[in-house]
Amino acid sequence: QVQLVESGGGLVQAGGSLRLSCAASGRFVSINDMGWHRQAPGKQRELVAVITKGGITNYVDSVKGRFTISRDNAKNTVSLQMNSLEPEDTAVYYCNADVWVLSTGRRVYWGQGAQVTVSS
């Protein structure tokens, strides 16, 4: 079984920074894309950033230039550095990973979620 465990998040004032990290563990063959989504109250979950195994990144327009996604393939981790935070960034942030498991094939796994609150 694959588990994604998130850490980081919290409360910060507008303009501040936070870092989220997510570690994958379990028995798997490989991890393909990894990413971060977020869900604000009353809104649908949206993709924030994604990074391929080779390090190619993509971001939603609203966070470009402020957020940076990175990963460590040796440690099976993905991180999201969030700078110049705005109240509109307040949400629960979920990491996800596209994982190949020998016994069950390929599927997407999700972390438990981390609350990020930005005060104005």
Side-chain angles (χ1 to χ4, degrees), residues 36-81:
W36 292 91
H37 286 65
R38 66 186 179 187
Q39 187 166 18
K43 295 187 177 181
Q44 288 188 330
R45 189 175 296 191
E46 68 168 349
L47 174 65
V48 176
V50 63
I51 184 168
T52 69
K53 192 173 185 178
I56 297 172
T57 59
N58 197 19
Y59 300 88
V60 67
D61 285 346
S62 61
V63 308
K64 286 180 179 178
R66 300 188 298 120
F67 290 11
T68 301
I69 189 171
S70 60
R71 67 188 283 175
D72 184 330
N73 291 333
K75 297 180 179 180
N76 299 315
T77 60
V78 61
S79 298
L80 186 68
Q81 177 65 41

Side-chain angles (χ1 to χ4, degrees), residues 24 28-34 53 71 73 76 97-100:
F28 48 85
V29 175
S30 65
I31 301 177
N32 301 305
D33 292 356
M34 303 184 82
K53 192 173 185 178
R71 67 188 283 175
N73 291 333
N76 299 315
D98 182 0
V99 183
W100 187 294

Side-chain angles (χ1 to χ4, degrees), residues 75-95:
K75 297 180 179 180
N76 299 315
T77 60
V78 61
S79 298
L80 186 68
Q81 177 65 41
M82 304 181 289
N83 298 328
S84 301
L85 282 160
E86 303 168 352
E88 293 73 23
D89 296 316
T90 295
V92 178
Y93 284 69
Y94 299 90
C95 70

Side-chain angles (χ1 to χ4, degrees), residues 4-7 20-24 34 36 76-79 95-96 111:
L4 298 182
V5 178
E6 301 178 26
S7 59
L20 299 175
S21 296
C22 175
M34 303 184 82
W36 292 91
N76 299 315
T77 60
V78 61
S79 298
C95 70
N96 69 279

